[in-house]
Amino acid sequence: MKQTIAQMLSKQVNKELYSAYLYLEFHNILNDRGLQGFAHWYMIQAQEERDHAMLFYNYLHHNNQKVTLEAVEKPETKADTVLQVLEAALAHEQYVTESINDIYEVALREKDYRTKEFLDWFVKEQGEEENNAQGLIDKVKLLGEDPKNMYLLDQELAARVYNAPSLVVG
Ligand code: MG
């Protein structure tokens, strides 16, 4: 594996762990607001992100590459309302999509088709992540932050069940 690609994948491990940390902070904020269903949604998101990190980690080791584990940054967010949290989550997923697309581009350029195939799962996954994030924004905007509506939506989100990623490496 080309070192440029190994380094990008290694950085992606950190970005996925940061995503988990950011979503844990969203859980923190929303739980504090008494929105346990919204908070639960982000607890599951955080779990998914830890799994994403492990997929990149395992893929690198599967290809005899050592991973450089960097410090995970403090999650910085100015989000205060539910809508602001949801919008920050969408912006973050768009950033992750760009990051994965950048690795994809280099993998194609370097004819690293194994990495390209590995990343195909993430390209699809990012589409789902952005779609889910946008869907929640649309729902909250449609319902407004009316307490009764928020209570019902909160109950709906509380029912989310964790599904481990379908991708397995190694
Ligand atoms: Mg992710």
Side-chain angles (χ1 to χ4, degrees), residues 12 16 19 48-49 52-53 93 96 100 122 125-126 129:
Q12 195 63 36
E16 300 293 341
S19 302
E48 262 191 21
E49 301 305 341
H52 291 167
E93 287 302 334
V96 173
I100 286 168
F122 283 95
E125 172 72 11
Q126 283 312 117
E129 296 282 25

Side-chain angles (χ1 to χ4, degrees), residues 24 27 34 53 78 81 92 117 128-129 145 147 153 156 166 170:
L24 197 57
H27 173 274
K78 290 187 187 80
T81 66
H92 183 69
E117 211 199 329
E128 281 170 25
E129 296 282 25
E145 291 196 26
L153 185 53
E156 186 188 315
S166 54

Side-chain angles (χ1 to χ4, degrees), residues 65-83:
Q65 301 295 323
K66 187 172 177 286
V67 181
T68 308
L69 293 173
E70 303 285 358
V72 180
E73 259 182 72
K74 181 182 163 141
E76 295 287 1
T77 180
K78 290 187 187 80
D80 192 40
T81 66
V82 174
L83 193 56

Side-chain angles (χ1 to χ4, degrees), residues 14-30 38-39 41-47 49-50 72-79 84-96:
N14 187 276
K15 286 178 186 174
E16 300 293 341
L17 287 174
Y18 175 78
S19 302
Y21 222 35
L22 182 66
Y23 290 149
L24 197 57
E25 177 68 349
F26 291 164
H27 173 274
N28 216 7
I29 295 167
L30 295 163
F38 278 91
W41 175 275
Y42 283 106
M43 183 58 89
I44 287 183
Q45 281 295 118
Q47 253 177 297
E49 301 305 341
R50 289 199 299 274
V72 180
E73 259 182 72
K74 181 182 163 141
E76 295 287 1
T77 180
K78 290 187 187 80
Q84 283 169 358
V85 167
L86 300 180
E87 282 169 343
L90 176 62
H92 183 69
E93 287 302 334
Q94 287 165 339
Y95 159 77
V96 173

